[in-house]
Amino acid sequence: MRLLFALPLILSLDQCSNDETLSGYGAAGATWNLIEIDGQPFPAKVTIAFPEEGKIKGQGPCNSFFAAQLQPYPWFEATEIGATRRACVDLDHETAFLTALSEMTLVEINGNNLLLSTVDGREMVFRAAR
């Protein structure tokens, strides 16, 4: 009989999960500015944020963008990337950013710095906005 009373508690605890994605490991609540890609200063303004579990949003030089990110920290995978469709002179920079973002597979947060990288050595460095 006790098992019948414990079963609802066990089932409800099973549905309580901690955020294992980037937002649960210090990225939520901050807006991150892109500083460089592959060791080169990035010439256009780009911001990225991780407002809640599984969500990425940001602003490129021309368009706002969004994506899903469901991998557990320290893994990273931006999927379902979408953006508005405004044209501007920095559209090539925006395309380079979104392409690089889609290739990143690892993430590290160290204080005010966020590093996205690949096993091949590509890197994107972001700094928390103040």
Side-chain angles (χ1 to χ4, degrees):
M1 190 60 126
R2 284 188 222 169
L3 182 58
L4 290 176
F5 291 113
L7 189 56
L9 177 61
I10 292 169
L11 290 175
S12 67
L13 289 176
D14 184 46
Q15 296 193 13
C16 294
S17 65
N18 292 331
D19 182 357
E20 295 293 322
T21 67
L22 183 55
S23 62
Y25 280 83
T31 298
W32 304 85
N33 294 314
L34 179 60
I35 305 299
E36 62 184 54
I37 295 180
D38 298 330
Q40 299 298 311
F42 197 71
K45 181 172 175 58
V46 172
T47 63
I48 193 168
F50 306 90
E52 61 186 83
E53 183 176 0
K55 304 286 184 187
I56 300 172
K57 69 176 189 172
Q59 180 63 50
C62 304
N63 296 284
S64 59
F65 66 91
F66 56 89
Q69 198 297 110
L70 303 174
Q71 297 298 317
Y73 186 88
W75 305 108
F76 182 85
E77 180 183 18
T79 62
E80 303 172 21
I81 298 173
T84 55
R85 296 179 179 252
R86 289 181 291 236
C88 76
V89 296
D90 286 327
L91 198 53
D92 288 344
H93 296 305
E94 185 168 285
T95 300
F97 161 72
L98 292 173
T99 299
L101 182 67
S102 72
E103 296 171 356
M104 298 296 118
T105 57
L106 296 166
V107 63
E108 179 182 340
I109 298 175
N110 186 0
N112 288 331
N113 296 308
L114 182 141
L115 174 68
L116 297 177
S117 61
T118 69
V119 295
D120 299 330
R122 295 206 64 204
E123 293 184 339
M124 298 176 80
V125 177
F126 296 83
R127 190 154 299 125
R130 299 194 185 247

